[in-house]
Amino acid sequence: MAVQRHHRRYRDGRGHAPAPGPKPPSVREVTSWIMTHPEHLRDDDADKLHRLRERDSDLDRLTLHVRKFAAMMTGRHGDRLEEWIADAERDTLAPLASFARNLRRDFDAVRNGLSLPHSSGAVEGNINRLKMLKRQMFGRASLDLLRKRVLLAR
């Protein structure tokens, strides 16, 4: 009964509910801020990320690692991969260390992917297109019709 009386004050407007604080950023927003090149971030987003990084040293270290890796990818600096993996493995961020260990499994391929100008993007695009056509045709028609659609869908 005492709880009901206490809450009735707030429903009738006689009590003062605490003012809601600012909404914290979502995981998606923070991820977007980290993954965006610092020069392309809006000023207010850069400021929010800066404040978050000041409060959380793990997030700060993660951001540094991610940005170093992004610089390797965009600048084709595969020669820096060994150093990046060693830094990530020494850090206390377990998911990042696990990612680095998995990169080490196929080190030569990853280094070449970060260094060479060749890309399998066109091949992957065609495979994706073929799979989409196959899914659309599943259970609807014969293999001959699927073949014609694949050949004519260019």
Side-chain angles (χ1 to χ4, degrees):
M1 191 60 136
V3 173
Q4 282 181 335
R5 269 185 272 133
H6 176 74
H7 283 282
R8 193 174 299 133
R9 292 186 328 176
Y10 295 108
R11 275 186 245 135
D12 295 340
R14 291 179 284 152
H16 297 289
K23 181 183 165 207
S26 68
V27 172
R28 183 177 293 231
E29 287 175 315
V30 175
T31 303
S32 172
W33 299 338
I34 291 171
M35 299 299 287
T36 302
H37 192 284
E39 293 175 3
H40 299 145
L41 265 178
R42 293 190 333 235
D43 290 339
D44 59 327
D45 291 341
D47 186 48
K48 290 175 189 174
L49 179 60
H50 180 72
R51 287 192 307 245
L52 282 173
R53 289 176 67 183
E54 283 180 337
R55 279 187 256 147
D56 188 349
S57 64
D58 288 347
L59 184 67
D60 185 46
R61 290 192 327 274
L62 176 68
T63 303
L64 291 172
H65 287 297
V66 167
R67 288 188 172 165
K68 283 181 182 178
F69 193 82
M72 271 194 305
M73 287 178 60
T74 57
R76 292 198 183 128
H77 297 292
D79 55 319
R80 300 178 189 169
L81 181 62
E82 178 64 40
E83 178 187 344
W84 186 88
I85 290 175
D87 288 345
E89 287 176 333
R90 277 193 301 269
D91 206 321
T92 59
L93 300 168
L96 186 68
S98 173
F99 175 70
R101 279 190 301 277
N102 286 328
L103 289 180
R104 200 178 285 285
R105 285 184 188 170
D106 203 5
F107 183 81
D108 290 335
V110 175
R111 186 187 62 228
N112 288 339
L114 293 173
S115 303
L116 302 175
H118 310 295
S119 171
S120 62
V123 174
E124 294 295 330
N126 276 324
I127 290 171
N128 191 37
R129 182 181 60 83
L130 290 173
K131 285 182 178 182
M132 184 255 325
L133 288 171
K134 184 179 170 185
R135 280 188 212 104
Q136 286 178 342
M137 299 294 291
F138 183 77
R140 296 173 189 246
S142 67
L143 189 58
D144 291 332
L145 184 58
L146 176 62
R147 182 177 180 274
K148 286 179 184 176
R149 190 150 179 223
V150 166
L151 295 174
L152 296 175
R154 292 207 178 251

